[in-house]
Amino acid sequence: MNTFGNIFRLTTFGESHGEAIGGVIDGMPAGIDIDLDFIQSELNRRRPGQSKITTSRQEADQVELLSGVFEGKSTGCPIGFIVRNTNQHSQDYENMRCLYRPSHADYTYQQKYGIRDHRGGGRSSARITISRCVGGALAKLVLNQLGISVQAYTSQVGDIALERDYHLYDLSKTETNAVRCPDEEKAAQMEALISKLKAEGDTIGGIITCVVKGCPAGLGEPEFGKLHAALGSAMLSINAVKGFEYGEGFAGVTARGSEQNDVFRCVNGEVTTDTNHSGGIQGGISNGQDIYFRVAFKPVATILSEQETIDTEGTPTRFTAHGRHDPCVLPRAVPVVEAMAAMTILDYYLVNKMLKR
């Protein structure tokens, strides 16, 4: 399955060391102003080589729109796009051609397809998320007109964590540091930890928090198609993601129902709640409050120190990975989380709009 979405649909193609990454967006509403500079800026947030704590691979990640846009507006027809690969070092992976790298998709891809691209992981590479960021940028252009915003930030790296309540932070400060954390002091600690582990040839994981504001009530299906399930599926499809929780999540299991229930009020003719422990979704359907969730990322599987493994014949061996790799994916994953959230919300908005016709 290389297609995401119901009405707003993204189909992706490409490999890490192939000619290009690309995709086709179908279901883009017509008449939307297509801000190419904004789309490129979203890709720039994801691109490699942007700071000393990311991979040193240098790629412009310049997007080319091939169709579906006329005189600066979407036509309603499919939007095709490509981003060309220009800085591959395929030779860095030659010593891993016949190995199964620990915690990578080498073995599973071999079992499923009987063949695999060992260069940078091929289709399993995080470089494929380029297409998601283009799709997410286009979705954001529509959501902006609807008054819906999507903001993600790094809330934890290793054991360095922010408070869970996003209201405590000025999220506009997220882009002021390399880690994409809205707390300057914590950001400095996170960056120091990542730098230390990079120097040691090791990696670290963490958590990204995402907040969706302005989402109207009524998005989502009551049974198989709950909005939180769709968001969870979108997030768990991102490389290196190991967990998803929305609202109070796992932290809420120790509370009493009397503490956890969100009491409804009618204020100036609008329905609202005193609290938002539900995370903006109840019964699988948005209730008009902020939607917030957390996404857990594992440490990057490629570490630059010797490891044990087996080769494709099952023989035990040892190897050391080469190449340019992220010591922590979180800084570059923030725009990917936003992209998947934006596409999910827009898709469910369009589904809801169709049902009301």
Side-chain angles (χ1 to χ4, degrees), residues 54-272:
T54 64
T55 172
S56 59
R57 179 172 176 168
Q58 293 294 323
E59 293 276 6
D61 285 354
Q62 193 72 37
V63 64
E64 302 173 41
L65 300 186
L66 306 178
S67 62
V69 179
F70 179 68
E71 296 183 342
K73 292 185 180 293
S74 58
T75 63
C77 298
I79 298 178
F81 63 88
I82 60 170
V83 173
R84 301 181 188 278
N85 294 325
T86 61
N87 190 228
Q88 310 97 312
H89 287 181
S90 298
Q91 68 276 9
D92 288 344
Y93 297 89
E94 195 57 35
N95 70 320
M96 293 175 275
R97 176 185 287 271
C98 297
L99 300 177
Y100 294 137
R101 293 171 297 167
S103 289
H104 277 277
D106 299 342
Y107 174 73
T108 52
Y109 265 56
Q110 188 73 40
Q111 291 302 299
K112 181 173 179 64
Y113 298 107
I115 187 173
R116 66 182 174 88
D117 184 347
H118 68 284
R119 304 166 304 167
R123 185 69 173 158
S124 68
S125 169
R127 185 155 177 77
I128 307 305
T129 59
I130 284 174
S131 297
R132 299 171 184 232
C133 286
V134 175
L138 289 166
K140 282 184 176 183
L141 291 175
V142 183
L143 294 181
N144 288 343
Q145 293 194 12
L146 299 173
I148 302 171
S149 66
V150 181
Q151 172 77 69
Y153 61 94
T154 298
S155 54
Q156 183 169 341
V157 172
D159 60 358
I160 303 168
L162 303 187
E163 297 291 336
R164 292 174 60 92
D165 187 354
Y166 64 90
H167 294 97
L168 300 175
Y169 303 97
D170 179 358
L171 302 189
S172 67
K173 295 182 177 179
T174 298
E175 296 294 319
T176 62
N177 56 75
V179 187
R180 294 200 161 91
C181 171
D183 183 298
E184 295 180 4
E185 183 178 343
K186 292 285 188 180
Q189 295 175 21
M190 292 174 179
E191 184 170 350
L193 175 60
I194 295 171
S195 296
K196 176 178 180 294
L197 291 172
K198 181 180 181 180
E200 295 172 356
D202 214 336
T203 61
I204 191 71
I207 294 173
I208 289 175
T209 297
C210 187
V211 183
V212 180
K213 291 180 174 290
C215 182
L219 306 192
E221 303 303 314
E223 184 61 12
F224 302 113
K226 298 177 188 293
L227 183 57
H228 61 270
L231 286 167
S233 177
M235 297 307 140
L236 289 164
S237 74
I238 300 172
N239 309 59
V241 169
K242 289 296 184 180
F244 169 85
E245 63 174 5
Y246 75 103
E248 290 296 308
F250 289 101
V253 302
T254 59
R256 306 291 192 269
S258 56
E259 299 170 314
Q260 196 79 177
N261 287 345
D262 296 318
V263 175
F264 286 102
R265 305 287 183 195
C266 187
V267 179
N268 298 323
E270 297 288 333
V271 175
T272 186

Side-chain angles (χ1 to χ4, degrees), residues 310-322:
I310 59 172
D311 62 21
T312 53
E313 300 298 319
T315 304
T317 186
R318 301 181 70 88
F319 82 106
T320 301
H322 304 296

